[in-house]
Amino acid sequence: MLLALAAPAQQEATASPDATATSGATAPPTPVDQDPAFEALRARARELAQHEQAPRDAHDLPEWLGQLDYDHYRQLRFRPDAALWTPDELPFRVQLMHRGYLFKQRVRVTELVDGEEREVAFRSAQFAYPDDTPPVPDDLGYSGLSLSWRGPDAEKRDEVAAFQGASYFRLLGVGQVYGASARGLAIDTASPRGEEFPDFVELQLERPAPEAGHVVLHALLDSPRITGAYRFDIVPGERTTAAVTACLYPRADIDKLGLAPLTSMFLFGEDGLHRTPDWRPEVHDSDGLLVAGGDGSWTWRPLANPLRTHRITRLPASSPAGFGLLQRDRAFTSYEDLESHFERRPSLWITPRGDWGPGALELIEIPNEGEWNENVVASWVPEQPVRAGTELRFEYELAAQLEDPQRALGRATATRVQQRKESTLFLVDFEGGAAGDMPQADVVASRGTLQHVVVQPSEPAGSWRCSFELQDKESEPIDLRVSLRRGEQVVSETLLLTWVRS
C-alpha cells in the first residue's frame, strides 16, 4: 500500500486559515526529499522491519521512580538554564523530560549538527529534585522532550511542542494551554483484538539556524507489527503548525490502522446530559469533530460522554480536505475555571497532503468519569488493510489554533436536548455564514417521527436556532442530521448527532 509518494498537493484556501500572518516562519522549510537525515532514518526503519521487535523494558529504572504518582513526578523539574541551545542564543530551546511515573522507558535523544549525530547525555544536575530524593543514576536517560520558542515578546519564551509517552505529541500556539494530543499512529483502537501502542523510541533534533522560524525533529517509531520514520517541521506562532511526513514499514498485516490520530477529553457540555456532579458549566478539551469533505461538504459531530459503553462513529471520507477535534466554545463563562482555562485549549486541525485514497474518519467515544482521562480518539482509517512488506507514506499538516477553519458556511455552535415523557426536544444554534432571508431546515432521522421543525432568528444578529421534536421510545441509537439551506443552496455545515434515549 502506497500513499502520497508524489510531492504534497496544496489544499484549497478554505480548508485552513492563512498561516502566514501568525507564524514565525522566516524562510521556507527544507523539502522532505532533500533531507538526508530523514532518508537515513527511513533506511533504519526499513531495516528494523525485517526483524522482530527487540524487547523494550524499564529494568534499569530505579523502583522508586516507577512508583511515583502524578503529583510527585511533577516535582522532578528540569532547570531552564540547562536547556539545549541556551548558550547559543537560538530562537528555540529544548528541555528534556525525566523518566518515571507512566514514562518508564528510555527514549534516545540526539542532536544533528552539520550532518553529525550526537546523543544528548543525561545529567542529574539538569533537574531540580525534592530534598529527600534518592540517588539518580548517571546514565538514566530521558523519556521525551519539549520545545520552547522566543516569540513576539522577546522577554518570554513560549512552549510550543512536547513529545512524551508512546507516540504522543502536542502542539501549542502562543496564548494556548495544553489540551488535546496527537499521536504518530493508532493500531486496532477499540477492536476486539485490543489496541497496540507504537512508541517513538528515538527523537532526533536538527540544530536550527540563529534566526530560524522553524525547527525540524525526526522520530523513529517501533511496535510489534510496524516500524516508521517521522519528520516534523514545526513552525510556531499564534497558530503553531507541524508539517508531518511518515514512512511506515509493517512487519505483519494490520487490519485497522489509524492515521493522523487525535486524542482528547470530553466530560460534559452544554446539552445538560450525563452531568457529573461539578460546579462548572462545562468540562472538555474539545467539543466536536469537524470534517471537510473533498466534495466541499462540512460535517460537525458534537462530542458526547456515552453512558454505558464506548461508541464508534464512522464517516466515509475519501481523500478528505481536512478534519480535526475542535474546541469551539471560547467563552470563559462556559467553564468558569481559573486554573484549567478550557477556553484556551487548542483546536487540532489536520490538512492531508496528496491523495489519501478511500477510507473513513473514525470517532471513538469512551465513557468517562474524570477530566484526567482522554476518552475521545479520532483518526483516518484506510479502506484497505495494511500488508506486511509494503511501504505506506503519508503527509499532512497539523495545526494548533483557536479559530475554526475558514469557510463561508454557518457553524453549529450549540446543541441542547430536553428529554420528555413522549418525545425529545432538540435546539440547535447556527452562527455565521452568508447573510440573507430566513433559511429552511433539513432534518433527517434514521428512526422515529420528527415534528414541529422550526427555524427562528437568534442572537447575535445573523444567527439562527433550529428546534424540533423526535418521537421514539426505543433505547437504540438514532442518527440525526441537521442543516440549513435557502432554496437549493446549503448555507450551513451539517450537524451529525447520535442520540440515545436514557
Side-chain angles (χ1 to χ4, degrees):
M1 184 175 183
L2 200 62
L3 294 180
L5 277 177
Q10 296 296 319
Q11 299 295 323
E12 295 182 4
T14 55
S16 63
D18 180 8
T20 59
T22 57
S23 72
T26 57
T30 302
V32 176
D33 293 332
Q34 297 179 21
D35 186 343
F38 182 62
E39 290 304 307
L41 193 67
R42 284 182 62 191
R44 288 184 58 197
R46 190 184 303 112
E47 169 61 24
L48 274 178
Q50 305 305 310
H51 314 280
E52 291 186 1
Q53 183 190 30
R56 295 186 71 226
D57 56 40
H59 67 277
D60 63 330
L61 184 71
E63 185 177 359
W64 67 271
L65 280 170
Q67 293 178 349
L68 291 178
D69 60 18
Y70 174 73
D71 291 329
H72 287 90
Y73 175 72
R74 291 183 63 192
Q75 295 179 24
L76 311 181
R77 298 183 179 275
F78 190 84
R79 298 182 185 275
D81 58 355
L84 195 64
W85 304 332
T86 296
D88 303 307
E89 284 298 322
L90 298 180
F92 296 91
R93 289 182 183 174
V94 183
Q95 296 198 20
L96 290 310
M97 296 180 176
H98 211 286
R99 294 174 64 191
Y101 178 48
L102 300 177
F103 312 108
K104 298 179 172 61
Q105 294 180 327
R106 181 192 300 261
V107 176
R108 185 171 182 259
V109 178
T110 64
E111 180 189 11
L112 197 64
V113 183
D114 297 330
E116 181 182 347
E117 186 181 38
R118 307 171 185 170
E119 184 165 1
V120 180
F122 174 86
R123 293 181 291 110
S124 60
Q126 296 170 317
F127 295 86
Y129 298 94
D131 292 339
D132 58 348
T133 301
V136 177
D138 292 335
D139 61 346
L140 184 67
Y142 307 107
S143 65
L145 60 84
S146 67
L147 288 163
S148 64
W149 170 64
R150 185 181 62 228
D153 183 355
E155 301 301 317
K156 178 178 178 292
R157 285 187 173 269
D158 297 291
E159 189 164 307
V160 295
F163 291 75
Q164 187 184 35
S167 66
Y168 283 85
F169 65 98
R170 300 193 287 182
L171 299 184
L172 275 185
V174 175
Q176 301 170 15
V177 297
Y178 280 128
S181 303
R183 281 196 267 171
L185 203 61
I187 300 177
D188 289 338
T189 307
S191 69
R193 176 172 181 158
E195 185 164 5
E196 177 179 319
F197 287 89
D199 294 326
F200 285 148
V201 297
E202 292 188 21
L203 300 174
Q204 181 191 78
L205 295 150
E206 290 190 11
R207 180 184 291 238
E211 297 301 324
H214 67 103
V215 62
V216 174
L217 180 146
H218 301 133
L220 180 65
L221 179 138
D222 198 13
S223 197
R225 287 185 287 162
I226 200 167
T227 69
Y230 282 71
R231 185 181 192 270
F232 302 88
D233 198 323
I234 300 169
V235 181
E238 294 178 11
R239 177 180 182 264
T240 291
T241 65
V244 183
T245 300
C247 295
L248 303 174
Y249 304 94
R251 289 183 167 109
D253 295 350
I254 300 175
D255 292 333
K256 183 180 178 183
L257 193 68
L259 304 183
L262 305 174
T263 302
S264 192
M265 178 276 295
F266 185 91
L267 195 59
F268 55 85
E270 79 269 346
D271 58 13
L273 300 174
H274 192 47
R275 283 294 300 266
T276 300
D278 200 295
W279 55 270
R280 296 166 293 186
E282 301 179 40
V283 175
H284 48 75
D285 288 337
S286 309
D287 51 12
L289 170 69
L290 182 65
V291 181
D295 59 358
S297 63
W298 292 81
T299 302
W300 173 250
R301 168 60 160 75
L303 298 181
N305 184 359
L307 284 172
R308 290 174 290 271
T309 185
H310 68 271
R311 183 184 299 166
I312 300 177
T313 302
R314 289 179 62 87
L315 302 175
S318 295
S319 297
F323 64 92
L325 290 175
L326 271 55
Q327 182 79 312
R328 269 191 173 167
D329 194 336
R330 294 297 176 187
F332 171 78
T333 53
S334 296
Y335 311 100
E336 297 288 352
D337 194 322
L338 292 171
E339 294 185 3
S340 297
H341 285 292
F342 294 106
E343 75 280 0
R344 291 164 51 196
R345 307 277 168 120
S347 295
L348 298 184
W349 183 249
I350 301 286
T351 304
R353 303 303 191 194
D355 184 0
W356 282 20
L361 258 298
E362 184 175 86
L363 174 67
I364 300 168
E365 297 163 302
I366 303 168
N368 188 17
E369 296 182 356
E371 62 191 272
W372 52 86
N373 294 322
E374 291 189 324
N375 63 314
V376 176
V377 181
S379 65
W380 189 81
V381 180
E383 184 178 282
Q384 297 297 322
V386 176
R387 299 305 181 197
T390 59
E391 180 186 55
L392 168 64
R393 175 169 173 166
F394 66 103
E395 304 183 41
Y396 62 93
E397 178 192 81
L398 171 65
Q401 58 197 50
L402 295 180
E403 302 299 326
D404 267 35
Q406 295 175 354
R407 72 268 191 205
L409 297 177
R411 306 178 307 154
T413 56
T415 304
R416 297 176 176 85
V417 182
Q418 182 184 29
Q419 188 167 292
R420 299 171 174 176
K421 184 177 181 180
E422 298 296 331
S423 65
T424 304
L425 173 66
F426 294 86
L427 304 172
V428 182
D429 290 338
F430 290 90
E431 291 183 5
D437 298 333
M438 179 85 71
Q440 299 171 286
D442 288 330
V443 183
V444 179
S446 60
R447 192 184 66 245
T449 302
L450 293 167
Q451 295 180 325
H452 311 305
V453 178
V454 177
V455 178
Q456 297 174 289
S458 180
E459 294 293 337
S463 300
W464 308 97
R465 172 167 292 176
C466 172
S467 61
F468 58 92
E469 291 185 42
L470 174 68
Q471 285 191 334
D472 187 272
K473 295 183 179 181
E474 301 295 327
S475 59
E476 295 301 311
I478 298 175
D479 290 328
L480 294 163
R481 301 180 73 90
V482 185
S483 61
L484 301 180
R485 61 179 171 85
R486 293 189 180 99
E488 299 299 319
Q489 182 182 6
V490 176
V491 296
S492 77
E493 64 192 14
T494 298
L495 171 76
L496 175 62
L497 186 67
T498 300
W499 166 246
V500 181
R501 186 176 180 86
S502 59

